[in-house]
């Protein structure tokens, strides 16, 4: 089922081009995707819309489980793998009950599971891939927050958490499929995630020093990038429009949740399954 990955990784330039094209595609299609969804489900109430999407997600999940049930049995044969599977299930449920505004946000899981599967043969490290997925998610949210007319009053750590879990789902799938290309021996400081992380930290440091990056809005001298233009009140947030209740992750809890998730999925590098 994933033999096409071996064919793709033999053509490194094509492989990298496919990954970049995929990222640019889903980052640039937010407005078009929203418009299409509105055209298909625009006549439904929010409650009915959520039920329809949940039904679709459950049916797809059931079909996927039936087709892969023999592979998923491997979760019970390795304690660490089982723990990662339980964490993933818990994270998905927490996201559904606490972090999603509407159920269609489950698309984050699909988008980033595919991204993780595409990237993995290039890096050969579960930790590296999940960190890259989180970084791409952070960049995507920055693009939406700064340049799309979303009317958002805060930078969305919720979605980055969903993206990270989505990447983990893709990696978990690769692990139970025993797809493990030989990892490339690269010095830690030359690894892709460290280079990208260093650039991000440097840029944010310079922006903070120059007053272009802040956590909360300064009405006198507004920064170019503010995490919270209007801090949410309390644990729950009730947005404008139809009733919806969800929790907004603040920067520190959001970062901790993402970092912990990356560490947990990075443990897949230590899991060794015996091919059956």
């Amino acid at each position: 089922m994933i033999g096409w990955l071996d064919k793709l990784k033999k053509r490194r330039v094509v492989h990298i081009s496919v990954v970049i094209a995929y990222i640019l595609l889903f980052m640039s299609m937010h407005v078009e995707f929203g418009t299409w969804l509105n055209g298909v489900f625009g006549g439904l109430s929010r409650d009915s819309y959520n039920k329809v999407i949940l039904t679709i997600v459950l049916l797809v999940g059931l079909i996927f489980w039936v087709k892969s049930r023999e592979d998923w049995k491997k979760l019970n044969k390795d304690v660490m793998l089982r723990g990662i599977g339980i964490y993933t299930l818990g994270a998905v449920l927490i996201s559904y009950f606490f972090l999603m505004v509407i159920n269609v946000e489950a698309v984050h899981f699909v988008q980033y599971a595919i991204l993780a599967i595409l990237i993995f043969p290039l890096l050969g490290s579960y930790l590296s891939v999940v960190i890259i997925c989180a970084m791409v998610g952070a960049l995507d949210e920055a693009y939406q927050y700064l340049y799309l007319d979303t009317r958002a009053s805060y930078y969305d750590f919720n979605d980055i958490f969903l993206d990270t879990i989505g990447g983990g789902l893709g990696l978990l799938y690769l692990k139970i499929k025993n797809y493990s290309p030989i990892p490339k021996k690269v010095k830690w400081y030359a690894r892709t995630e460290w280079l990208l992380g260093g650039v991000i930290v440097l840029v944010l440091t310079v922006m903070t020093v120059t007053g272009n990056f802040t956590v909360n809005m300064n009405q006198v001298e507004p920064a170019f990038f503010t995490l919270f233009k209007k801090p949410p009140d309390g644990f729950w947030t009730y947005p404008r429009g139809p009733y919806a209740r969800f929790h907004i992750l603040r920067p520190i809890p959001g970062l901790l949740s993402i970092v912990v998730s990356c560490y947990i999925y990075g443990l897949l590098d230590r899991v060794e399954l015996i091919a059956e």
Side-chain angles (χ1 to χ4, degrees):
M1 188 174 177
I2 56 176
W4 57 273
L5 278 177
D6 290 316
K7 296 179 181 179
L8 187 61
K9 75 177 183 179
K10 292 177 181 178
R11 299 172 175 82
R12 188 172 179 82
V13 174
V14 175
H15 193 162
I16 294 174
S17 299
V18 168
V19 171
I20 294 174
Y22 176 72
I23 293 172
L24 293 177
L25 178 64
F26 72 68
M27 285 181 64
S28 63
M29 295 295 289
H30 290 294
V31 175
E32 289 78 6
F33 182 66
T35 302
W36 177 78
L37 281 179
N38 188 57
V40 174
F41 301 105
L44 299 177
S45 66
R46 177 181 287 249
D47 185 55
S48 298
Y49 175 55
N50 275 334
K51 289 178 180 177
V52 169
I53 296 299
L54 179 60
T55 301
I56 293 173
V57 170
L58 291 176
L59 285 175
V60 172
L62 178 62
I63 293 171
F64 178 71
W65 180 81
V66 169
K67 287 185 170 294
S68 308
R69 62 185 181 278
E70 293 301 320
D71 294 313
W72 289 105
K73 289 180 181 179
K74 295 175 184 176
L75 285 174
N76 295 320
K77 298 181 180 180
D78 184 280
V79 175
M80 187 179 293
L81 192 61
R82 188 190 313 156
I84 296 171
I86 292 172
Y87 173 79
T88 302
L89 177 61
V92 170
L93 292 175
I94 287 172
S95 299
Y96 172 74
F97 287 109
F98 295 100
L99 303 181
M100 291 184 183
V101 182
I102 51 178
N103 291 344
V104 75
E105 291 193 75
V107 73
H108 286 269
F109 297 141
V110 178
Q111 286 177 330
Y112 283 81
I114 294 173
L115 179 61
I117 291 171
L118 285 174
I119 294 176
F120 186 69
L122 291 171
L123 301 179
S125 165
Y126 291 92
L127 178 60
S128 297
V129 173
V130 72
I131 291 175
I132 295 297
C133 285
M135 289 181 176
V136 172
L139 180 62
D140 187 21
E141 292 308 315
Y143 166 69
Q144 295 179 63
Y145 184 48
L146 293 173
Y147 297 107
L148 293 186
D149 184 23
T150 60
R151 297 180 175 83
S153 60
Y154 62 94
Y155 181 71
D156 202 341
F157 284 96
N158 289 31
D159 281 0
I160 304 174
F161 178 75
L162 301 184
D163 300 337
T164 307
I165 300 304
L169 279 167
L171 294 178
L172 196 57
Y173 173 72
L174 289 177
K175 175 56 73 174
I176 66 169
K177 283 292 186 180
N178 264 339
Y179 185 81
S180 299
I182 299 174
K184 301 172 180 61
K185 295 182 179 180
V186 182
K187 297 290 185 181
W188 68 268
Y189 53 81
R191 299 186 74 89
T192 305
E193 67 271 19
W194 284 103
L195 293 174
L196 288 177
V199 171
I200 292 172
V201 169
L202 178 61
V203 170
L204 289 179
T205 300
V206 172
M207 290 179 67
T208 301
V209 171
T210 58
N212 288 304
F213 174 78
T214 59
V215 174
N216 294 308
M217 173 70 80
N218 184 333
Q219 299 295 341
V220 179
E221 296 181 3
F224 171 73
F225 192 180
T226 302
L227 291 180
F228 285 97
K229 297 174 183 176
K230 181 182 178 183
D233 298 324
F235 185 87
W236 297 108
T237 292
Y238 299 82
R240 294 179 180 176
Y243 174 83
R245 186 176 73 164
F246 64 101
H247 174 59
I248 294 177
L249 285 171
R250 271 58 167 193
I252 293 179
L255 287 172
L256 285 176
S257 301
I258 293 163
V259 170
V260 168
S261 298
C262 287
Y263 173 78
I264 288 174
Y265 290 116
L267 293 175
L268 288 170
D269 283 314
R270 304 182 189 179
V271 176
E272 294 184 6
L273 296 179
I274 299 175
E276 299 179 355

